[in-house]
Amino acid sequence: MSEEKREAQCQDNKRVMELALQAGHILLENGAEIFRVEETIDRICRHFGLESGNAFVLSNGIFVTAGSERENFFAKVQHIPVSGTHLDKVTAVNQLSREIEHGTYTLEEAEAELERIRKTPGKRKWTQILASGLGSAAFCCLFGGRMAESMVAFAAGLVLYTYVLYVSVYLSKIVGNILGGALVTLFCGGMYLMGFGTHLNYMITGAIMPLIPGVAFTNAIREMADGDYISGTVRMMDTLVSFLSIAIGVGMGTALIGWMSGGVVL
């Protein structure tokens, strides 16, 4: 192989690894499981003829390497902080990797499509706030609340996610969850004292659900079941800290409402 062809092959291999790494990055930061990230990276590498590509994935980082006696070596590490869940991007990247495997995309087209997915804006804030309210009302009803309790939970869900989008983003995760739990409890307690609803526990339980990291908790259990103990443990610790923070906030709010009402709520 001539020097020019070898250099061109080296550049192509590097682009393939960068494409696979960025696909894995998008998946991991948006809540995908570890096995899905590894599978996607492997699928992209194999389709473009890079048999020596390897990836080691943790819940907050990706290590990729490639190279053999016939290929130049490539190694890169990316740190990916534990963040929220955006399943639309996970679905889009997963579908892209399958279409790449079927030959639908060239390398250049795959790079452009991945960049488009990465830049896809999230849901509008008013949509997220409305969804939070509807979800809170639905959970309140599911737990046994009646119409009055569900309406209070709906309003509390709107208030909670307005706080999440405009205030909590400037706070640490622990402080944000504590204040969020307290905010929901104070709001529901205040509505209860004004005569809206008869079961405060249903209101608070339903309204607090948008803060619960259910997908992350499920992924943590699944990863530990698959043998990814390090990643599963990290995710589990993150969700348990969130649960504890929310519980502390609810406890603080309940204590404050009880003190303000002279023990009526308690």
Side-chain angles (χ1 to χ4, degrees):
M1 182 183 295
S2 65
E3 187 63 29
E4 291 78 8
K5 290 184 177 181
R6 185 181 298 275
E7 182 64 25
Q9 183 66 39
C10 176
Q11 290 300 319
D12 287 343
N13 289 345
K14 184 177 180 180
R15 290 175 62 189
V16 170
M17 291 304 297
E18 288 286 356
L19 175 67
L21 179 60
Q22 291 307 313
H25 186 124
I26 294 173
L27 286 173
L28 196 58
E29 73 176 352
N30 288 290
E33 308 93 320
I34 297 299
F35 84 91
R36 189 183 302 277
V37 177
E38 293 175 340
E39 182 183 62
T40 297
I41 293 175
D42 182 61
R43 185 182 291 129
I44 292 174
C45 290
R46 281 190 290 104
H47 173 74
F48 289 111
L50 189 58
E51 300 294 338
S52 61
N54 288 286
F56 176 63
V57 183
L58 298 174
S59 60
N60 58 349
I62 300 178
F63 306 78
V64 293
T65 61
S68 66
E69 64 277 2
R70 297 186 303 274
E71 301 169 344
N72 288 342
F73 285 91
F74 174 94
K76 196 166 185 178
V77 178
Q78 277 197 359
H79 173 252
I80 302 165
V82 177
S83 58
T85 302
H86 302 280
L87 296 181
D88 52 342
K89 290 188 178 182
V90 173
T91 302
V93 174
N94 189 57
Q95 182 62 29
L96 173 63
S97 69
R98 296 184 184 279
E99 291 177 355
I100 289 174
E101 190 175 38
H102 293 154
T104 306
Y105 290 91
T106 63
L107 181 57
E108 292 77 11
E109 292 171 342
E111 290 172 334
E113 179 63 15
L114 188 64
E115 183 65 14
R116 185 194 66 79
I117 294 173
R118 188 183 67 82
K119 292 182 177 179
T120 300
K123 296 293 187 295
R124 296 179 180 177
K125 290 184 176 181
W126 69 265
T127 304
Q128 297 179 55
I129 293 172
L130 180 60
S132 174
L134 293 174
S136 297
F139 275 110
C140 179
C141 182
L142 180 65
F143 293 135
R146 293 179 294 183
M147 180 59 69
E149 286 86 15
S150 296
M151 293 304 297
V152 172
F154 173 80
L158 298 180
V159 172
L160 173 62
Y161 227 74
T162 301
Y163 156 80
V164 169
L165 293 177
Y166 293 101
V167 179
S168 182
V169 292
Y170 301 106
L171 305 173
S172 70
K173 192 171 185 177
I174 294 176
V175 174
N177 282 331
I178 290 175
L179 294 182
L183 175 64
V184 165
T185 305
L186 291 172
F187 182 89
C188 292
M191 298 297 287
Y192 176 80
L193 291 175
M194 287 189 290
F196 295 95
T198 57
H199 297 283
L200 179 59
N201 56 330
Y202 296 151
M203 301 179 198
I204 296 175
T205 304
I208 209 70
M209 291 305 291
L211 284 179
I212 303 299
V215 174
F217 183 72
T218 303
N219 284 347
I221 296 175
R222 183 170 183 176
E223 285 166 7
M224 287 191 286
D226 289 339
D228 294 317
Y229 298 115
I230 297 177
S231 300
T233 301
V234 171
R235 285 189 193 270
M236 183 62 71
M237 287 299 298
D238 182 63
T239 57
L240 291 179
V241 168
S242 296
F243 293 151
L244 180 61
S245 302
I246 295 168
I248 290 173
V250 172
M252 291 171 55
T254 303
L256 184 58
I257 286 292
W259 174 75
M260 293 173 62
S261 63
V264 173
V265 174
L266 298 179

